[in-house]
Amino acid sequence: MTHPTLTGAEILWATLVGEGVTTVFGYPGGAILPAYDALRKFPIHHVLTRHEQGAAHMADGYARASGKVGVAIATSGPGATNLVTGIATAMMDSIPIVCITGQVSSKVLGSDAFQEIDITGITLPITKHNFVATRPEHIAPMIRQAFQIAASGRPGPVLVDITKDAQQGTAIFNFDEAVPAPYRPHPMLRAESAEMHRAIELMRASKKPVILAGHGIIHSGAEHEVVAFAERYQIPVATTLLGLGAFPASHPLALGMMGMHGESWVNHAIQHADLLLAFGMRFDDRVTGNLASYAQNAKKIHIEIDPSEINKNVKVDVALIGDLKEVLRTMEPLIHDKNYLADASTNNSTSDWLREIRSMKGDAAVRDIINLPDNGHLYAAHVINDIWQEARAAGRLDKTIIATDVGQHQMWEAQYFKHEDTRTLITSGGLGTMGFALPAAIGAKIARPDCDVWCIAGDGGFQMTAAELSTIVQENLHINVAVINNGFLGMVRQWQEAFYDKNYACSPILSPDFVKIADAHGIPGAQVTQRKDVTPTVTKSRTGQTAFVINFAVEKEDGVYPMIAPGAALHEMVRRPQKDPLLETAEDE
């Protein structure tokens, strides 16, 4: 079989096609123009973003919603550096994206040529790996290896920088010959049998266990295994922010979100537990509070694919290093073969523990937001709750994806929108990137066009990437946009209120009329100031044929509660003041 001779630019696209890529997100420029010139020959749809940061976030949202590798493309210099925030966002949350950048010709590398920048040096700390292709024959092997690295083990971003002359030169293209060496897992990535048995012994001795469900469940595809495990041994499940949806919120064993703005009973359950089973989570500081007082009476079993996370933040008693799904499948027959665990349904200590947690939960649930009368004020929590209720009433909960920005509205979404299905919450956890929601929603909608996609953003973050509204129009996407507008950088204001003597320095923010802004882009919209108008407007947006922007003018000085102050223990939560008309629990049933 003869193999064609192609330009490097053609090799780039042909390799992407071979990897199954159908959509890329990007912005052209001089150093990447040969690639754009060759694009017309290949069946790949290019989404023209309005800013390269948007391209990275769209690739990120695409990857989170689909489980596939997202692809972003930019030119050299400022085009490449504009990708950096999106790459860092993906790195912190372990999202598989491949970013392809143009670079000046290899003949002038190092000469400070026009739009030359050392993008591989800049992104070295925020990528799993990066490459520089200076010859056309390098492109296919590097792209194929980039996809392998991005998706294998603990996922993450990879960058491939391609010089202009490598794009313009020619080489023989052989996709099969460019295949990377087989993926070799880290040698520690095998759960030792002795450790397995130690873990089972700890489970047998436990009377108050809690599963900590993290993002790794979704990456592993272990949702079914975790539900089965929890049900078999009747272990309650607390969830991290990025783990929401990995365990159904309505499940009787679901506790809700843990951590800084987690539910009070969840954090108390963790602090009272005698065993924590950490499934694909990294004991982030927003989850643990003060490490010195974190779950002091609990033994800890950590199932984790990245060996570097073991004992990094929290010292554990048993480390099972490997893919979560594989570890649980290996562990299950050992439990039964050794008859280590009694039937959970007849285990009185487990039943007592669940009753104890339910009593903690019930104490908070009496102050349910849903039971509050409408006092004429519109609260962000009401808006989030009503979006959830509307999706549930329409039978679309499993087909609703929420992409949030970062701040108060993000925490309210986590508290009041109850995610039943995996990959239905797309949010920036580790980096906390404002401006993430709108472009991420675009990526999610393109990945899953059959879903109702909501961008929920604050008035601050929305303005950072609002130009991507034109991308929505250009791509003819039906995306629902909810701006939670309180006239402040809300989380900054809340911290200033709590810890800086109400010195609201630079947190009040002036915004344009978002409905008029939407109209200028060709998108209809509505202003909502009263709760009675929330559900009808949400339904109008969801059932329409085009994108729709809703500006929710909510209470200006509302706060997210509970919250854990910096340096405080997990159980030392600041509760909503009793005089406050809005109560703090997300319990609804």
Side-chain angles (χ1 to χ4, degrees), residues 9 39 56 129 153 163-164 223 262 351 392 439 464-465 515 575 589:
L39 174 59
H129 194 73
T163 62
K164 193 170 185 178
E223 294 91 343
S351 300
R392 185 172 69 160
M464 289 189 171
T465 51
V515 175
R575 309 298 293 270
E589 301 297 342

Side-chain angles (χ1 to χ4, degrees), residues 56 59 70-74 83 86-87 97-101 143 157-161:
V71 179
I73 298 184
L83 292 173
I87 294 171
I97 66 172
V98 169
C99 293
I100 298 163
T101 53
I143 293 292
V158 179
L159 181 135
V160 183
D161 196 36

Side-chain angles (χ1 to χ4, degrees), residues 68 132 150 173 361 410 442 451 580:
K68 301 175 183 178
V132 181
F173 174 63
K361 190 174 185 179
Q410 178 189 33
I442 293 172
C451 288
D580 197 304

Side-chain angles (χ1 to χ4, degrees), residues 283 302 307-317 319:
F283 292 106
H302 195 180
S308 71
E309 292 294 347
I310 301 297
N311 295 323
K312 185 175 85 173
N313 296 325
V314 172
K315 181 170 174 50
V316 299
D317 298 277

Side-chain angles (χ1 to χ4, degrees), residues 226-505:
V226 172
V227 170
F229 188 92
E231 288 177 345
R232 181 166 289 127
Y233 307 116
Q234 286 296 288
I235 303 176
V237 179
T239 312
T240 67
L241 173 65
L242 292 182
L244 291 173
F247 194 87
S250 63
H251 195 286
L253 291 170
L255 297 181
M257 186 176 72
M258 67 181 91
M260 177 173 279
H261 293 293
E263 302 290 5
S264 59
W265 64 81
V266 182
N267 290 342
H268 279 297
I270 291 170
Q271 292 295 77
H272 292 170
D274 64 9
L275 176 66
L276 297 181
L277 297 106
F279 288 179
M281 53 87 73
R282 60 187 178 91
F283 292 106
D284 173 73
D285 61 288
R286 292 293 172 109
V287 161
T288 63
N290 189 322
L291 287 171
S293 56
Y294 179 70
Q296 292 176 305
N297 299 320
K299 299 291 186 181
K300 300 170 184 73
I301 300 169
H302 195 180
I303 304 179
E304 170 60 45
I305 200 166
D306 184 352
S308 71
E309 292 294 347
I310 301 297
N311 295 323
K312 185 175 85 173
N313 296 325
V314 172
K315 181 170 174 50
V316 299
D317 298 277
V318 175
L320 300 177
I321 303 173
D323 179 82
L324 178 63
K325 180 188 282 190
E326 294 177 10
V327 171
L328 291 180
R329 286 180 172 178
T330 304
M331 198 173 180
E332 193 65 30
L334 292 176
I335 295 173
H336 293 292
D337 288 349
K338 297 298 184 182
N339 195 26
Y340 273 139
L341 295 179
D343 184 351
S345 63
T346 61
N347 189 329
N348 289 329
S349 63
T350 301
S351 300
D352 290 344
W353 174 227
L354 293 174
R355 278 193 291 271
E356 181 181 339
I357 293 174
R358 274 193 286 270
S359 69
M360 289 188 279
K361 190 174 185 179
D363 178 60
V366 296
R367 304 192 296 165
D368 191 345
I369 180 177
I370 309 306
N371 296 329
L372 291 170
D374 186 347
N375 62 6
H377 295 264
L378 181 61
Y379 292 94
H382 286 148
V383 173
I384 303 297
N385 181 80
D386 290 355
I387 291 174
W388 169 68
Q389 291 277 25
E390 197 272 349
R392 185 172 69 160
R396 295 286 294 175
L397 206 52
D398 63 332
K399 293 290 187 181
T400 300
I401 296 174
I402 308 291
T404 83
D405 231 279
V406 171
Q408 286 181 315
H409 69 277
Q410 178 189 33
M411 294 298 100
W412 281 315
E413 196 284 342
Q415 291 177 341
Y416 290 96
F417 194 104
K418 302 189 181 83
H419 291 270
E420 299 293 326
D421 296 278
T422 190
R423 299 190 183 278
T424 57
L425 173 60
I426 294 172
T427 194
S428 171
L431 196 64
T433 306
M434 291 177 69
F436 175 79
L438 188 62
I442 293 172
K445 183 65 176 179
I446 290 173
R448 296 172 66 183
D450 60 321
C451 288
D452 299 330
V453 175
W454 282 89
C455 159
I456 298 180
D459 45 327
F462 182 66
Q463 292 187 72
M464 289 189 171
T465 51
E468 302 301 345
L469 288 173
S470 278
T471 305
I472 290 176
V473 175
Q474 186 164 318
E475 294 297 317
N476 193 29
L477 300 174
H478 179 191
I479 293 175
N480 310 286
V481 179
V483 182
I484 308 299
N485 187 348
N486 61 6
F488 280 97
L489 302 177
M491 193 62 85
V492 174
R493 186 212 61 78
Q494 182 171 340
W495 278 56
Q496 289 170 331
E497 177 183 4
F499 309 119
Y500 294 92
D501 198 28
K502 297 187 177 181
N503 175 21
Y504 299 151

Side-chain angles (χ1 to χ4, degrees), residues 55 84 86 115 166 170 207 226 233 346-347 419 478 487 576 583 585:
V84 166
Q115 292 191 334
T170 59
K207 298 185 187 306
V226 172
Y233 307 116
T346 61
N347 189 329
H419 291 270
H478 179 191
R576 183 177 290 278
L583 304 178
T585 176

